[in-house]
Amino acid sequence: MTSTEQSRRKYDALADRYEEIFFYVADMGRLLVDVAAPRAGARVLDVGAGRGAVARAALVRGCVVTAVDSSAGMVSRLRADHPSITARQLDAGSLDFPDGSFDLVTAGFLVQVLDDPAAALAQFRRVLAPGGTIALSLERQSVGRLGWLHELNAEFFGRGGEAADPLAADRLDDLLTAAGFTGLTRKEVDIPKPVPGPRALWNWLALQGVPQALTALPPERAAQFRRAFFAGAEAMHADGGIVLDFGATLHCGVSARRA
Ligand SMILES: C[S@@+](CC[C@H](N)C(=O)[O-])C[C@H]1O[C@@H](n2cnc3c(N)ncnc32)[C@H](O)[C@@H]1O
């Protein structure tokens, strides 16, 4: 297992609203598949598929797509939304496909949430045909002008759930090389999303369950959070506008032929 029961429960709970909250994953899925450029008919495995941002982009290109995810909630939504994708509940570290079953393995924003990314990369290499392609996206860890909001969240809710030492792009390339991938390429992508005002930013936080989390705090503490949130959001709105600055790196490589 490369992720925990707690992580599975988190993604089960997010499944219905996932792509509404993480509005950039659909564009990122298309870009990742564009970079990998599979031919029509290619056998594609999308690991940690979520709601199918990457898998459906491969489907559009005429690929034969299998999608796996460790969250039962994500898999049942995948089956309902994309009947032509073969969807299964599987852990990235225990893929049960025969060696060399796929021409392309994709994983959008997955490796950063795994406890043991190296174990998953070894599986990806095993199930890839020699000369097959791997394509991964990795969220870039930059908070930009939203630093005040990250600090507020840390002050009121702690840093629970965030990796203490997030996977960096250089480290991912090292892990890919160690797993036997060659010809590595990397592309940086920025995904800014302007938000019309403080209320809209609050609504985005609401999708992530912040109002429910506030009910667990003493009422005065919850009121403090709201006051600090709207003060910070008003200041950002007045000073150049509110923008959610997301960024990603897209990593591609080739499964080296074994000697
Ligand atoms: C950040 S989301 C990305 C979803 C999708 N790839 C996208 O780009 O929108 C990570 C996904 O990986 C799944 N996941 C987490 N750990 C996993 C594991 N060990 N094996 C398979 N899937 C996993 C989660 O359930 C979730 O759907």
Side-chain angles (χ1 to χ4, degrees):
M1 289 287 177
T2 52
S3 59
T4 57
E5 182 55 38
Q6 185 190 15
S7 153
R8 275 193 293 284
R9 276 204 301 273
K10 170 183 148 183
Y11 285 109
D12 280 346
L14 278 173
D16 285 341
R17 294 160 296 138
Y18 182 74
E19 290 198 7
E20 211 182 330
I21 298 171
F22 302 100
F23 52 84
Y24 50 87
V25 297
D27 286 344
M28 282 302 109
R30 277 190 290 276
L31 282 175
L32 189 64
V33 172
D34 284 349
V35 168
R39 60 175 170 77
R43 299 162 300 168
V44 176
L45 174 66
D46 185 34
V47 187
R51 293 288 303 279
V54 184
R56 63 179 179 264
L59 205 58
V60 166
R61 292 178 80 110
C63 300
V64 179
V65 184
T66 302
V68 302
D69 199 288
S70 56
S71 148
M74 292 291 193
V75 173
S76 78
R77 290 298 310 250
L78 269 174
R79 287 192 181 128
D81 296 345
H82 306 291
S84 49
I85 292 175
T86 303
R88 291 183 55 199
Q89 186 181 6
L90 264 187
D91 187 275
S94 356
L95 302 179
D96 61 2
F97 304 100
D99 294 1
S101 309
F102 297 98
D103 305 301
L104 168 64
V105 171
T106 55
F109 301 118
L110 169 74
V111 283
Q112 65 205 45
V113 303
L114 297 179
D115 295 337
D116 186 355
L121 294 182
Q123 285 291 306
F124 298 174
R125 171 126 194 267
R126 185 187 65 71
V127 301
L128 266 176
T133 304
I134 187 165
L136 311 173
S137 56
L138 182 68
E139 194 168 331
R140 224 177 313 128
Q141 305 289 329
S142 73
V143 294
R145 291 172 59 241
L146 272 178
W148 65 271
L149 184 53
H150 287 257
E151 279 166 27
L152 201 60
N153 278 328
E155 182 188 336
F156 284 77
F157 302 115
R159 298 205 179 264
E162 283 178 31
D165 184 15
L167 185 61
D170 286 345
R171 171 84 183 123
L172 178 55
D173 279 347
D174 289 346
L175 290 174
L176 282 164
T177 302
F181 292 100
T182 58
L184 301 187
T185 62
R186 198 200 291 186
K187 182 175 177 170
E188 307 249 334
V189 193
D190 291 310
I191 327 145
K193 181 181 170 72
V195 176
R199 177 53 61 181
L201 185 62
W202 179 262
N203 292 343
W204 182 70
L205 288 189
L207 284 171
Q208 300 171 60
V210 168
Q212 294 92 310
L214 285 178
T215 62
L217 298 179
E220 179 46 30
R221 193 87 178 119
Q224 268 173 11
F225 179 91
R226 276 197 197 83
R227 278 195 298 275
F229 167 83
F230 280 104
E234 291 291 356
M236 189 176 182
H237 187 51
D239 180 22
I242 301 174
V243 179
L244 302 174
D245 284 316
F246 291 98
T249 49
L250 309 182
H251 298 247
C252 265
V254 172
S255 171
R257 292 173 195 279
R258 289 176 175 85

